[in-house]
Amino acid sequence: MTGRTVRIGCASGFWGDTPEAVGQLVTKGDIDYLVFDYLAEITMSLLARARTKSPEAGYAPDFVQAVAPFLPELKRKGIKVVANAGGVNPRGCREALAKAAEAAGIDISIGVVLGDDLLGRADEIRSRGATELFSGAPFPAKPMSMNAYLGARPIAAALDAGAEIVVTGRCADSAVALGPLMHEFGWKDDDWDKLSQGSLAGHLIECGPQGTGGNFTDWQDVPGWDDMGMPIVEVSEDGSFVMTKTLGTGGLVVPASVGEQMLYEIGDPQRYVLPDVICDWSQVTLEQVGPDRVMVKGARGLGRTDSYKVSATHADGWRAITTLTLAAIDAPAKAERVAEAILTRCRRIFRGRNLGDFRQVSVEVLGAEAAYGANARAQTREVVLKIGVTHDDRDALNIFAGEIAPMAVSSAQGLTGFFAGRPKVQPVVRLFSFLQDKADTPIAVEVDGKDLPVTVATEAVRLDASSAAAVEGREAGPGAVMVRLVELAWGRSGDKGDIANIGILARKPEYLPYIRSALTEETVKDYFEHLCNGPVERFELPGIHALNFLLHDSLGGGGIASVRIDPQGKGFAQMLLDIQIPVPADLAARDGLNASTPAEMTSP
């Protein structure tokens, strides 16, 4: 890295993240920018519901509460702030910030990015026949929220105009970091590789300490979970950057932990579409350049699309989830029978009241490895029974909620754990994604309440995709031994709606051919057959010796629409890392891998 650098620290990976992160970064981070990512699809629907109850609500109040005590120090140090905390009411967020600044005696310039909220155009969009991006479903009758993922240019424009804090509604998670970089370095809308590198920098820090050792496969190697370091990127004008963290904190920044976060919640790494640029991250390289410092290079930009992705949410029936504990002989079998009895009783009552059947039922005996399906191998005398159900009629689920406690005296010994009382009946909020023309999506920027002209590039530009050849698969050959994948690779999984992704990074480059040969799309589909109802796709990242899998229709609807125990696929990578694959015996012996011959194998 040469020349001037810009240091950006991220203080929030989601709405509800620790407010302690702000103080850590402001006092010890030596940063130029403090950024926040708050908005998931479900968060947008919750904020929309809040605003229907109060016109002043609809933004993330945590942001104002976390930043307000540090306004004097932010001003003194010249640290600028960018946050998508505006939700469905960015102006309301600005007003709350302005009041906090006034109370602190601080004169600070606040910019607001508007235009992502398309809810008022629902009838127009419905009339033109918009359908769901993945399923082709028709446009919902009554959307609760509808927001386009805006890009980084409006943020850069607000900073160009002198804003010291920029508040946005929905934008790409990585845009809160890319916007400052476009402003600082004067990157243009066709500086494709720089835009891709800047987007990758934003992607690596957008989930807070998940990029600095949080959720790392080798969790035993990560110190200081109680004081995890927040992520910082140190970016040069050419786009190359170092990923690091706040000094003197917990966490671990190494190529493997950074690589896991790079793979988190992406799709095709050679065509990862963001509002500002189509990213090719397949040739990215990660190099340790100091303690907790990883150099990141090699991202390419392949132009841009002429549309925004829009995420709408809508109510789709009702759901209820309950958990009970069984500590007993034959606990798993008893739990299954308790669930069957509850559901059978409810269905009998439903028939008598013409309520119809449950729309969706999920019974998982936790502790008996229900999430593993046919791959389960646990033997246990203590389990948690989780029953999740959905129904079109709220009254039906109120009946369900009332039939849980009676099982305490009419079913199995050892049934306990009714601490939470009756399960709460909640609306199912379902995600509906579609594309919206950028040219038909006016964006506005205000700085200190004054309108600011902003021009966002809207025309589609497509460059040649990467021609990088995939690593060839390699059979282990005669005399192979079986090794658990976790000894050969790291893994990280996440979600996009009802699609789960699993990123697998080889611990050594020479392991990748054997992993690639064993982990075919068919193998992964079979392993997750009990969860994955759609196809499995596999993508290549030769630069970091990795594979990325997309498991379609695998999360029971995803988010708050799902009644599974893991509606976001958070455990999928760990489950896959337990599979056994064949490797040459001499390789296993050389590297000290725990191996068994095929004849010695037990079930995975």
Side-chain angles (χ1 to χ4, degrees):
M1 298 177 69
T2 59
R4 186 169 68 95
T5 61
V6 174
R7 282 172 61 92
I8 304 174
C10 182
S12 175
F14 63 98
W15 187 22
D17 208 346
T18 174
E20 296 298 311
V22 178
Q24 182 195 113
L25 284 165
V26 172
T27 60
K28 298 192 295 183
D30 191 24
I31 55 174
D32 302 300
Y33 285 86
L34 179 68
V35 302
F36 298 76
D37 176 29
Y38 282 105
L39 302 181
E41 288 83 0
I42 300 309
T43 309
M44 297 303 295
S45 65
L46 294 174
L47 293 174
R49 285 162 59 186
R51 193 174 189 189
T52 61
K53 298 176 183 178
S54 171
E56 292 78 27
Y59 62 88
D62 308 43
F63 168 64
V64 180
Q65 295 163 7
V67 169
F70 293 95
L71 286 173
E73 193 165 1
L74 290 167
K75 183 75 173 182
R76 180 175 61 83
K77 290 184 173 181
I79 299 172
K80 296 181 181 179
V81 177
V82 180
N84 61 5
V88 298
N89 189 9
R91 287 193 180 103
C93 188
R94 177 193 63 198
E95 293 305 312
L97 271 174
K99 289 179 181 178
E102 182 180 7
I106 301 295
D107 181 17
I108 200 159
S109 180
I110 304 174
V112 178
V113 176
L114 306 166
D116 65 294
D117 191 346
L118 303 178
L119 189 60
R121 298 176 61 183
D123 291 341
E124 168 201 336
I125 293 170
R126 183 186 299 105
S127 67
R128 73 167 186 243
T131 57
E132 214 282 329
L133 189 59
F134 303 104
S135 69
F139 196 84
K142 294 181 179 180
M144 299 169 61
S145 65
M146 186 160 55
N147 297 82
Y149 285 75
L150 301 186
R153 177 55 67 192
I155 297 171
L159 294 169
D160 291 345
E164 296 164 276
I165 299 178
V166 181
V167 174
T168 79
R170 198 64 166 111
C171 66
D173 299 345
S174 55
V176 296
L178 179 58
L181 296 172
M182 296 172 77
H183 161 68
E184 290 285 343
F185 295 130
W187 290 350
K188 298 180 174 60
D189 293 324
D190 59 357
D191 285 334
W192 306 121
D193 291 352
K194 293 176 181 178
L195 297 178
S196 183
Q197 276 282 147
S199 296
L200 179 54
H203 176 74
L204 291 180
I205 66 174
E206 70 188 36
C207 292
Q210 187 170 281
T212 58
N215 295 341
F216 186 38
T217 298
D218 294 347
W219 59 274
Q220 305 97 323
D221 298 339
V222 182
W225 280 2
D226 61 302
D227 186 29
M228 288 290 284
M230 300 305 291
I232 298 171
V233 284
E234 191 175 288
V235 189
S236 291
E237 188 168 359
D238 66 359
S240 63
F241 65 90
V242 168
M243 174 79 168
T244 185
K245 66 180 182 69
T246 314
L247 288 174
T249 58
L252 181 69
V253 183
V254 294
S257 62
V258 174
E260 281 193 11
Q261 176 59 24
M262 176 175 154
L263 290 170
Y264 181 66
E265 294 186 341
I266 67 169
D268 182 350
Q270 293 190 42
R271 188 180 167 78
Y272 183 46
V273 179
L274 293 170
D276 300 286
V277 61
I278 303 167
C279 300
D280 179 356
W281 293 343
S282 62
Q283 295 299 318
V284 167
T285 59
L286 306 172
E287 178 189 0
Q288 195 84 46
V289 293
D292 289 316
R293 291 177 64 83
V294 172
M295 173 67 74
V296 184
K297 295 181 178 179
R300 283 196 63 203
L302 304 177
R304 64 173 161 264
T305 66
D306 58 3
S307 59
Y308 292 118
K309 179 183 175 182
V310 180
S311 289
T313 59
H314 62 104
D316 188 23
W318 302 87
R319 73 170 191 162
I321 300 175
T322 188
T323 58
L324 303 169
T325 302
L326 280 99
I329 298 169
D330 300 323
K334 289 176 179 176
E336 293 279 3
R337 187 171 174 189
V338 168
E340 180 184 5
I342 293 171
L343 296 170
T344 299
R345 178 184 291 183
C346 287
R347 284 170 169 140
R348 185 172 66 247
I349 298 171
F350 293 172
R351 287 193 297 270
R353 301 186 187 181
N354 295 318
L355 286 174
D357 199 359
F358 295 108
R359 180 194 290 181
Q360 184 182 7
V361 172
S362 172
V363 174
E364 295 171 283
V365 181
L366 311 178
E369 299 187 358
Y372 284 79
N375 304 307
R377 57 173 181 250
Q379 299 293 321
T380 181
R381 294 170 295 176
E382 181 181 86
V383 298
V384 172
L385 170 63
K386 187 236 75 186
I387 309 173
V389 292
T390 65
H391 202 285
D392 291 330
D393 195 316
R394 186 173 190 169
D395 290 341
L397 293 192
N398 283 328
I399 293 170
F400 166 80
E403 292 300 329
I404 307 300
M407 286 294 120
V409 293
S410 62
S411 60
Q413 283 191 10
L415 186 62
T416 185
F418 292 85
F419 309 112
R422 290 187 177 188
K424 185 177 180 181
V425 179
Q426 300 175 311
V428 172
V429 178
R430 195 169 297 278
L431 178 65
F432 182 96
S433 301
F434 64 96
L435 298 179
Q436 167 78 6
D437 286 347
K438 289 178 178 175
D440 191 31
T441 311
I443 295 172
V445 175
E446 298 174 356
V447 176
D448 299 327
K450 298 177 181 178
D451 292 338
L452 177 73
V454 59
T455 302
V456 176
T458 60
E459 71 280 7
V461 179
R462 287 179 172 81
L463 308 180
D464 291 336
S466 170
S467 58
V471 176
E472 293 296 324
R474 186 178 304 160
E475 298 288 343
V481 294
M482 305 301 290
V483 174
R484 290 171 70 209
L485 182 59
V486 71
E487 295 200 54
L488 305 169
W490 299 281
R492 177 74 62 85
S493 54
D495 68 305
K496 287 291 184 185
D498 201 17
I499 302 172
N501 94 290
I502 305 175
I504 298 295
L505 299 85
R507 292 178 182 267
K508 295 183 178 181
E510 58 263 38
Y511 293 166
L512 182 57
Y514 302 107
I515 296 171
R516 190 177 192 277
S517 179
L519 291 189
T520 64
E521 294 169 340
E522 293 75 20
T523 299
V524 174
K525 169 70 174 177
D526 288 346
Y527 193 78
F528 288 96
E529 184 179 15
H530 58 296
L531 297 174
C532 181
N533 297 317
V536 172
E537 296 179 276
R538 185 178 73 178
F539 301 98
E540 312 277 348
L541 294 94
I544 60 170
H545 318 294
L547 303 172
N548 189 46
F549 295 89
L550 290 187
L551 285 66
H552 294 261
D553 192 11
S554 60
L555 298 172
I560 205 169
S562 177
V563 288
R564 292 185 186 169
I565 197 65
D566 185 5
Q568 296 177 296
K570 298 295 187 181
F572 280 25
Q574 291 293 299
M575 292 162 66
L576 186 59
L577 287 173
D578 213 28
I579 199 173
Q580 291 184 312
I581 70 170
V583 300
D586 57 351
L587 182 148
R590 183 199 73 186
D591 291 356
L593 304 176
N594 293 308
S596 60
T597 65
E600 295 169 339
M601 281 184 61
T602 58
S603 59

PDB file of all heavy atoms in Angstrom, residues 106-121:
ATOM      1  N   ILE A 106     -23.281  21.027  20.040  1.00  0.00           N
ATOM      2  CA  ILE A 106     -22.437  20.688  18.897  1.00  0.00           C
ATOM      3  C   ILE A 106     -23.108  21.146  17.612  1.00  0.00           C
ATOM      4  O   ILE A 106     -24.273  20.834  17.352  1.00  0.00           O
ATOM      5  CB  ILE A 106     -22.188  19.164  18.824  1.00  0.00           C
ATOM      6  CG1 ILE A 106     -21.501  18.670  20.100  1.00  0.00           C
ATOM      7  CG2 ILE A 106     -21.364  18.812  17.597  1.00  0.00           C
ATOM      8  CD1 ILE A 106     -20.122  19.225  20.308  1.00  0.00           C
ATOM      9  N   ASP A 107     -22.370  21.875  16.792  1.00  0.00           N
ATOM     10  CA  ASP A 107     -22.846  22.277  15.469  1.00  0.00           C
ATOM     11  C   ASP A 107     -22.317  21.261  14.466  1.00  0.00           C
ATOM     12  O   ASP A 107     -21.108  21.216  14.200  1.00  0.00           O
ATOM     13  CB  ASP A 107     -22.345  23.679  15.126  1.00  0.00           C
ATOM     14  CG  ASP A 107     -22.842  24.151  13.763  1.00  0.00           C
ATOM     15  OD1 ASP A 107     -23.807  23.549  13.250  1.00  0.00           O
ATOM     16  OD2 ASP A 107     -22.245  25.101  13.211  1.00  0.00           O
ATOM     17  N   ILE A 108     -23.200  20.424  13.929  1.00  0.00           N
ATOM     18  CA  ILE A 108     -22.762  19.346  13.048  1.00  0.00           C
ATOM     19  C   ILE A 108     -23.683  19.265  11.835  1.00  0.00           C
ATOM     20  O   ILE A 108     -24.901  19.436  11.953  1.00  0.00           O
ATOM     21  CB  ILE A 108     -22.708  18.002  13.816  1.00  0.00           C
ATOM     22  CG1 ILE A 108     -21.814  16.999  13.102  1.00  0.00           C
ATOM     23  CG2 ILE A 108     -24.091  17.434  14.088  1.00  0.00           C
ATOM     24  CD1 ILE A 108     -21.320  15.881  14.019  1.00  0.00           C
ATOM     25  N   SER A 109     -23.106  19.032  10.681  1.00  0.00           N
ATOM     26  CA  SER A 109     -23.861  18.991   9.428  1.00  0.00           C
ATOM     27  C   SER A 109     -24.356  17.568   9.173  1.00  0.00           C
ATOM     28  O   SER A 109     -23.560  16.619   9.211  1.00  0.00           O
ATOM     29  CB  SER A 109     -22.977  19.457   8.276  1.00  0.00           C
ATOM     30  OG  SER A 109     -23.676  19.433   7.057  1.00  0.00           O
ATOM     31  N   ILE A 110     -25.650  17.423   8.905  1.00  0.00           N
ATOM     32  CA  ILE A 110     -26.264  16.095   8.742  1.00  0.00           C
ATOM     33  C   ILE A 110     -26.883  15.981   7.350  1.00  0.00           C
ATOM     34  O   ILE A 110     -27.689  16.824   6.948  1.00  0.00           O
ATOM     35  CB  ILE A 110     -27.342  15.834   9.813  1.00  0.00           C
ATOM     36  CG1 ILE A 110     -26.751  16.008  11.214  1.00  0.00           C
ATOM     37  CG2 ILE A 110     -27.928  14.438   9.653  1.00  0.00           C
ATOM     38  CD1 ILE A 110     -27.772  15.922  12.327  1.00  0.00           C
ATOM     39  N   GLY A 111     -26.504  14.950   6.637  1.00  0.00           N
ATOM     40  CA  GLY A 111     -27.068  14.663   5.324  1.00  0.00           C
ATOM     41  C   GLY A 111     -28.011  13.481   5.382  1.00  0.00           C
ATOM     42  O   GLY A 111     -27.866  12.591   6.231  1.00  0.00           O
ATOM     43  N   VAL A 112     -28.985  13.479   4.477  1.00  0.00           N
ATOM     44  CA  VAL A 112     -29.976  12.408   4.425  1.00  0.00           C
ATOM     45  C   VAL A 112     -30.111  11.949   2.969  1.00  0.00           C
ATOM     46  O   VAL A 112     -30.197  12.783   2.058  1.00  0.00           O
ATOM     47  CB  VAL A 112     -31.352  12.884   4.943  1.00  0.00           C
ATOM     48  CG1 VAL A 112     -32.378  11.760   4.838  1.00  0.00           C
ATOM     49  CG2 VAL A 112     -31.242  13.352   6.382  1.00  0.00           C
ATOM     50  N   VAL A 113     -30.134  10.636   2.781  1.00  0.00           N
ATOM     51  CA  VAL A 113     -30.367  10.050   1.461  1.00  0.00           C
ATOM     52  C   VAL A 113     -31.778   9.495   1.425  1.00  0.00           C
ATOM     53  O   VAL A 113     -32.167   8.691   2.279  1.00  0.00           O
ATOM     54  CB  VAL A 113     -29.348   8.935   1.153  1.00  0.00           C
ATOM     55  CG1 VAL A 113     -29.667   8.279  -0.190  1.00  0.00           C
ATOM     56  CG2 VAL A 113     -27.928   9.492   1.151  1.00  0.00           C
ATOM     57  N   LEU A 114     -32.549   9.911   0.421  1.00  0.00           N
ATOM     58  CA  LEU A 114     -33.944   9.514   0.269  1.00  0.00           C
ATOM     59  C   LEU A 114     -34.156   8.892  -1.106  1.00  0.00           C
ATOM     60  O   LEU A 114     -33.354   9.076  -2.011  1.00  0.00           O
ATOM     61  CB  LEU A 114     -34.856  10.738   0.425  1.00  0.00           C
ATOM     62  CG  LEU A 114     -34.690  11.561   1.711  1.00  0.00           C
ATOM     63  CD1 LEU A 114     -35.385  12.908   1.561  1.00  0.00           C
ATOM     64  CD2 LEU A 114     -35.245  10.791   2.892  1.00  0.00           C
ATOM     65  N   GLY A 115     -35.261   8.184  -1.237  1.00  0.00           N
ATOM     66  CA  GLY A 115     -35.626   7.620  -2.526  1.00  0.00           C
ATOM     67  C   GLY A 115     -35.729   6.116  -2.556  1.00  0.00           C
ATOM     68  O   GLY A 115     -36.234   5.536  -3.529  1.00  0.00           O
ATOM     69  N   ASP A 116     -35.270   5.449  -1.507  1.00  0.00           N
ATOM     70  CA  ASP A 116     -35.349   3.987  -1.487  1.00  0.00           C
ATOM     71  C   ASP A 116     -36.743   3.484  -1.186  1.00  0.00           C
ATOM     72  O   ASP A 116     -37.114   2.375  -1.590  1.00  0.00           O
ATOM     73  CB  ASP A 116     -34.380   3.420  -0.451  1.00  0.00           C
ATOM     74  CG  ASP A 116     -34.751   3.831   0.972  1.00  0.00           C
ATOM     75  OD1 ASP A 116     -34.664   5.037   1.265  1.00  0.00           O
ATOM     76  OD2 ASP A 116     -35.158   2.947   1.764  1.00  0.00           O
ATOM     77  N   ASP A 117     -37.555   4.289  -0.486  1.00  0.00           N
ATOM     78  CA  ASP A 117     -38.879   3.852  -0.036  1.00  0.00           C
ATOM     79  C   ASP A 117     -39.877   3.952  -1.190  1.00  0.00           C
ATOM     80  O   ASP A 117     -40.246   5.045  -1.622  1.00  0.00           O
ATOM     81  CB  ASP A 117     -39.335   4.705   1.136  1.00  0.00           C
ATOM     82  CG  ASP A 117     -40.572   4.146   1.832  1.00  0.00           C
ATOM     83  OD1 ASP A 117     -41.222   3.251   1.254  1.00  0.00           O
ATOM     84  OD2 ASP A 117     -40.881   4.599   2.940  1.00  0.00           O
ATOM     85  N   LEU A 118     -40.321   2.805  -1.686  1.00  0.00           N
ATOM     86  CA  LEU A 118     -41.232   2.749  -2.839  1.00  0.00           C
ATOM     87  C   LEU A 118     -42.640   2.330  -2.442  1.00  0.00           C
ATOM     88  O   LEU A 118     -43.463   2.042  -3.319  1.00  0.00           O
ATOM     89  CB  LEU A 118     -40.684   1.769  -3.884  1.00  0.00           C
ATOM     90  CG  LEU A 118     -39.272   2.043  -4.413  1.00  0.00           C
ATOM     91  CD1 LEU A 118     -38.865   0.961  -5.411  1.00  0.00           C
ATOM     92  CD2 LEU A 118     -39.173   3.416  -5.048  1.00  0.00           C
ATOM     93  N   LEU A 119     -42.933   2.311  -1.146  1.00  0.00           N
ATOM     94  CA  LEU A 119     -44.234   1.795  -0.708  1.00  0.00           C
ATOM     95  C   LEU A 119     -45.382   2.592  -1.312  1.00  0.00           C
ATOM     96  O   LEU A 119     -46.426   2.025  -1.660  1.00  0.00           O
ATOM     97  CB  LEU A 119     -44.308   1.817   0.825  1.00  0.00           C
ATOM     98  CG  LEU A 119     -45.515   1.125   1.452  1.00  0.00           C
ATOM     99  CD1 LEU A 119     -45.562  -0.350   1.063  1.00  0.00           C
ATOM    100  CD2 LEU A 119     -45.490   1.270   2.970  1.00  0.00           C
ATOM    101  N   GLY A 120     -45.207   3.895  -1.456  1.00  0.00           N
ATOM    102  CA  GLY A 120     -46.267   4.719  -2.035  1.00  0.00           C
ATOM    103  C   GLY A 120     -46.535   4.441  -3.498  1.00  0.00           C
ATOM    104  O   GLY A 120     -47.542   4.903  -4.044  1.00  0.00           O
ATOM    105  N   ARG A 121     -45.669   3.672  -4.144  1.00  0.00           N
ATOM    106  CA  ARG A 121     -45.838   3.347  -5.565  1.00  0.00           C
ATOM    107  C   ARG A 121     -46.300   1.903  -5.770  1.00  0.00           C
ATOM    108  O   ARG A 121     -46.196   1.353  -6.859  1.00  0.00           O
ATOM    109  CB  ARG A 121     -44.519   3.581  -6.309  1.00  0.00           C
ATOM    110  CG  ARG A 121     -44.041   5.031  -6.262  1.00  0.00           C
ATOM    111  CD  ARG A 121     -42.690   5.213  -6.922  1.00  0.00           C
ATOM    112  NE  ARG A 121     -42.718   4.856  -8.339  1.00  0.00           N
ATOM    113  CZ  ARG A 121     -41.643   4.872  -9.127  1.00  0.00           C
ATOM    114  NH1 ARG A 121     -40.455   5.222  -8.624  1.00  0.00           N
ATOM    115  NH2 ARG A 121     -41.740   4.528 -10.396  1.00  0.00           N
TER     116      ARG A 121
END
